[in-house]
């Protein structure tokens, strides 16, 4: 019988790593365990090694891992645009990432529409259409490859 993958969320920054193991439940998410390594991390290789050590300490043979980064060349944006489909928004977001972070080498980015979190949902003055409030994260593509290679 195959080993079931355990779920982890990690926050990784130059000051250390925080790792949370969690399980989905009928009423949401339940934290199972929390580990932290509060030490200076010089680069993404050292950070990936630290994260791998924490996952290993928790005895996970298989892991589903979500990582939030701060530092190490990452960039975050909040963009307000007219509502549209992802295929229309993606090139605009790409342009804004490149414009706001020109030093970001070959950026890999993702975004989510946080409009549902906006309680007011006010229409735009000229159009009567609510805006899309996008939360964007971007990292250099080499950083993703380095994390993947060091962890798996």
């Amino acid at each position: 019988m195959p080993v079931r993958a355990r779920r982890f969320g990690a926050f990784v920054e130059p000051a250390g790593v925080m790792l949370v193991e969690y399980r989905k439940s009928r009423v949401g998410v339940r934290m199972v365990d929390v580990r932290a390594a509060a030490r200076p991390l010089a680069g993404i290789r050292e950070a990936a090694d630290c994260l791998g050590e924490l996952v290993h300490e928790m005895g996970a043979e298989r892991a589903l891992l979500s990582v939030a980064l701060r530092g190490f060349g990452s960039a975050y944006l909040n963009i307000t645009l007219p509502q549209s489909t992802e295929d229309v928004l993606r090139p605009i977001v790409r342009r804004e990432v490149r414009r706001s972070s020109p030093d970001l080498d070959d950026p890999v980015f993702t975004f989510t529409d946080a409009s549902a979190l906006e309680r007011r949902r006010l229409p735009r003055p000229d159009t009567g259409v609510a805006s899309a409030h996008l939360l964007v994260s971007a990292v250099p593509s080499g950083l993703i490859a380095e994390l993947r290679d060091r962890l798996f």
Side-chain angles (χ1 to χ4, degrees):
M1 182 171 174
V3 175
R4 186 172 161 200
R6 292 164 55 185
R7 297 175 184 268
F8 297 90
F11 177 63
V12 178
E13 65 173 342
V17 175
M18 172 74 70
L19 180 67
V20 176
E21 181 178 5
Y22 66 93
R23 286 198 186 116
K24 291 183 179 181
S25 71
R26 285 182 282 151
V27 293
V29 175
R30 185 174 62 88
M31 284 185 13
V32 176
D33 198 357
V34 178
R35 303 281 171 100
R39 65 177 187 250
L41 302 168
I44 196 61
R45 285 182 179 178
E46 191 176 340
D49 290 345
C50 180
L51 178 56
E53 289 166 14
L54 290 176
V55 172
H56 181 72
E57 281 177 18
M58 294 174 91
E61 292 180 36
R62 292 188 58 220
L64 295 173
L65 180 63
S66 297
V67 178
L69 288 170
R70 188 183 72 75
F72 305 111
S74 60
Y76 300 92
L77 301 166
N78 291 310
I79 302 174
T80 301
L81 295 169
Q83 290 281 346
S84 192
T85 60
E86 183 176 340
D87 61 315
V88 171
L89 294 172
R90 183 161 287 286
I92 297 167
V93 171
R94 178 180 290 113
R95 180 193 69 211
E96 290 302 307
V97 166
R98 287 188 175 142
R99 184 188 63 75
S100 67
S101 301
D103 57 331
L104 197 60
D105 188 33
D106 189 23
V108 174
F109 67 92
T110 188
F111 62 92
T112 189
D113 186 349
S115 299
L117 302 176
E118 176 61 52
R119 292 184 202 144
R120 295 171 290 174
R121 298 284 294 158
L122 299 174
R124 291 181 52 212
D126 308 15
T127 65
V129 177
S131 299
H133 300 285
L134 305 179
L135 304 177
V136 182
S137 62
V139 297
S141 62
L143 187 133
I144 299 288
E146 188 71 42
L147 268 175
R148 183 185 55 241
D149 293 347
R150 302 289 288 191
L151 290 171
F152 302 106

